[in-house]
């Protein structure tokens, strides 16, 4: 049987995955070499090549406590948001869907504000817990609202429920911030969305959740592919559409909640990564997920590097840089997709 | 004769059950009993809302009957797991949707899902099944083409290939030709007849009484949820039956092969007989 009959990732695909991986390695390296502070790339490189010869405490601190966790967090968050975006766009059949739609960002924001206002949360770990709990509640509320009174949850119901719940949560958040002036400062920093200040400890706390969610996503690839053929076809192929959607939203929620807990809301990244993945991989779902993972990590890290240097010695919030880059891409999606014409 | 492949025993169901409390005139099925042999092509006809699609969807396990049983080779289809069922009966829904840009081969490969497990990957048996399905539907040449570049008839053949790749003994088709022009209708119906000749039992819902009479081994007529007649077309297709189903006055002619041909008499609508059906006549 010829190679063309095999459903495996083709050679051309492996070549482009390899290219992307190479590009990702490039930005990972750059991320370790470039910062907004005083440590220049040459010194950083010599540290990376032989850490033992560079006993300088400052260099050591910058490299292991600032740049390493930041780079790792960039990869993890990028992969998480990219895969979450791709899953969500396929399950809602909407090329502009992104995790914010599921109530995750609004829920996490409300969680953080409640934590700050009423429980004086300030450590990164407690912010993490508040953000994840809020994200889960927000997502639960969206799922519930989408499900009420319906035999099955259609993509449109999900979108409408998402819009409604997001608005309600944002309203609560504003209300709380209005009454708790002290919380506002801390919240403002969190809501900007940034990779700076992420500790190795926080990365370690979040990574298992991301890995579990990615494993779940991998197991759901085939059922999701059947679901894109419509509920009737998916059922006729032996799948359970509502179960698939529930498990998918669990995976998407874990991925996006982990990201928002670590870095605050970084909107549009998942959408852009999923778009790039679709452009590169076509409709083939497994390839799409693979590409969106790598593209997400690459995009986030490269925009984060940009965020470190465009306003030296200050940092720009990476979420703002992502948003600027995202706008032309969204306009292009709308332009090229017949769904919107 | 051996036991029937498909036996529908006294099945009743009302569609409204699964639909969040909607109580408008939903099509229901009332006490329907039917049987189909291996290789039989059964075509169900009837006016809009007669319950023919609902019955098909019950057999496909998309709606659970309120009462009665649906036996496939002696086993209740509702006693099977989702996966088991999908290896024994396949469905082509009325308006299947596919993601933009999907290629024919990738679509057809979905038909192997019920034979695969979480860790059971693609095997040569899967590959062979897909190839046989592509050959049987004459779509092997289209394998690498995007589905949305094909004609309506070609697309429908590809969807049939996906259902065939499930390798089931029972194939359920919900109005597979309703969106096609005459040439493509014949293309799909000839394929369906060939498949039944290979031993697959096919239950198909059709809108087109003329095509149904031409192709069916067994023509089943439904009205208001009940079967009003079922049998070989040339035995059951009568002027009275057409009038009972559609409130249309028609002539039943014979084609050169002896198959019945229905031609509605001009001005033959009997709208005064049943006001409840007056809306539906315009579609017939």
């Amino acid at each position: 049987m010829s190679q063309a009959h095999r459903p495996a990732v083709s050679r051309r695909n492996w070549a482009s995955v390899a290219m992307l991986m190479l590009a990702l390695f490039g930005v990972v390296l750059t991320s370790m070499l470039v910062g907004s502070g005083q440590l220049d790339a040459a010194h950083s490189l010599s540290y990376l090549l032989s850490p033992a010869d560079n006993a300088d405490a400052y260099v050591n601190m910058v490299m292991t406590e600032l740049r390493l966790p930041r780079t790792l967090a960039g990869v993890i968050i990028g992969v998480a948001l990219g895969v979450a975006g791709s899953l969500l766009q396929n399950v809602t059949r909407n090329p502009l869907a992104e995790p914010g739609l599921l109530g995750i960002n609004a829920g996490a924001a409300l969680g953080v504000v409640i934590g700050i206002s009423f429980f004086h949360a300030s450590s990164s770990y407690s912010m993490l817990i508040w953000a994840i709990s809020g994200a889960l509640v927000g997502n639960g509320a969206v799922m519930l609202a989408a499900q009420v009174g319906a035999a099955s949850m259609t993509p449109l119901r999900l979108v409408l429920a998402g819009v409604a719940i997001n608005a309600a949560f944002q309203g609560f958040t504003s209300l709380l911030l209005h009454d708790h002036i002290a919380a506002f400062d801390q919240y403002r920093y969190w809501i900007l969305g940034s990779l700076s200040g992420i500790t190795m400890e926080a990365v370690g706390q979040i990574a298992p959740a991301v890995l579990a969610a990615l494993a779940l996503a991998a197991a759901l690839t085939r059922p999701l592919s059947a679901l894109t053929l419509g509920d009737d076809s998916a059922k006729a192929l032996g799948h359970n559409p509502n179960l698939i959607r529930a498990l998918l939203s669990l995976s998407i929620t874990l991925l996006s909640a982990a990201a928002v807990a670590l870095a605050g809301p970084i909107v549009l990244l998942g959408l852009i990564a999923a778009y790039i993945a679709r452009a590169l991989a076509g409709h083939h779902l497994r390839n799409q997920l693979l590409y969106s993972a790598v593209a997400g990590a690459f995009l986030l890290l490269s925009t984060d590097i940009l965020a470190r240097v465009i306003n030296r010695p200050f940092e720009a919030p990476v979420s703002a840089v992502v948003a600027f880059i995202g706008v032309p891409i969204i306009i292009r999606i709308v332009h090229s997709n017949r769904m919107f014409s | 004769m051996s036991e029937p492949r498909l036996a529908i025993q006294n099945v009743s169901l009302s569609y409204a059950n699964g639909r969040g409390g909607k109580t408008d005139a939903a099509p229901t099925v009332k006490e329907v009993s039917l049987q189909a042999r291996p290789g039989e092509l059964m075509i169900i006809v009837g006016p809009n809302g007669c319950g023919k699609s609902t019955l098909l969807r019950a057999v496909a396990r998309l709606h659970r009957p309120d009462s009665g049983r649906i036996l496939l080779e002696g086993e209740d289809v509702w006693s099977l797991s989702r996966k088991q069922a999908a290896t024994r009966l396949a469905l082509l829904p009325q308006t299947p949707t596919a993601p933009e840009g999907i290629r024919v081969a990738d679509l057809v490969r979905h038909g192997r899902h019920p034979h695969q497990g979480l860790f059971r990957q693609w095997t040569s048996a899967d590959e062979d099944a897909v190839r046989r399905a592509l050959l049987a539907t004459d779509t092997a040449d289209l394998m690498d083409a995007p589905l949305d570049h094909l004609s309506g008839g070609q697309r429908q053949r590809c969807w049939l290939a996906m259902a065939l790749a499930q390798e089931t003994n029972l194939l359920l088709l919900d109005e597979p030709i309703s969106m096609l022009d005459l040439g493509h209708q014949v293309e799909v119906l000839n394929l369906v007849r060939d498949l039944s000749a290979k031993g697959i039992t096919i239950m198909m819902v059709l809108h087109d009484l003329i095509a149904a009479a031409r192709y069916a081994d067994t023509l089943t007529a439904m009205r208001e949820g009940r079967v009003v007649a079922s049998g070989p077309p040339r035995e059951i297709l009568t002027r009275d039956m057409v009038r009972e189903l559609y409130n249309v006055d028609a002539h039943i002619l014979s084609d050169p092969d002896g198959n019945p041909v229905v031609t509605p008499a001009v001005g033959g609508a009997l709208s005064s007989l049943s006001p409840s059906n007056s809306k539906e006549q315009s579609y017939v």
Side-chain angles (χ1 to χ4, degrees), chain A residues 249-297:
Chain A
S249 68
L250 177 67
S251 173
I252 295 167
T253 305
L254 270 179
L255 290 170
S256 343
V260 78
L262 268 183
I266 298 174
V267 290
L268 299 187
L269 187 84
L271 190 161
I272 300 166
Y275 171 72
I276 292 173
R278 218 174 23 253
L280 289 175
H283 74 92
H284 198 288
L285 195 60
R286 184 182 40 181
N287 294 354
Q288 258 187 44
L289 294 178
L290 216 60
Y291 280 107
S292 61
V294 183

Side-chain angles (χ1 to χ4, degrees), chain B residues 5 21 97 183 235:
Chain B
R5 178 164 286 162
T97 56
E235 288 174 21

Side-chain angles (χ1 to χ4, degrees), chain A residues 144-168:
Chain A
L144 209 64
Q147 197 92 54
V148 166
S152 73
M153 187 162 51
T154 63
L156 184 63
R157 292 181 74 97
L158 195 65
V159 172
L160 292 177
V163 169
I165 298 291
N166 271 332

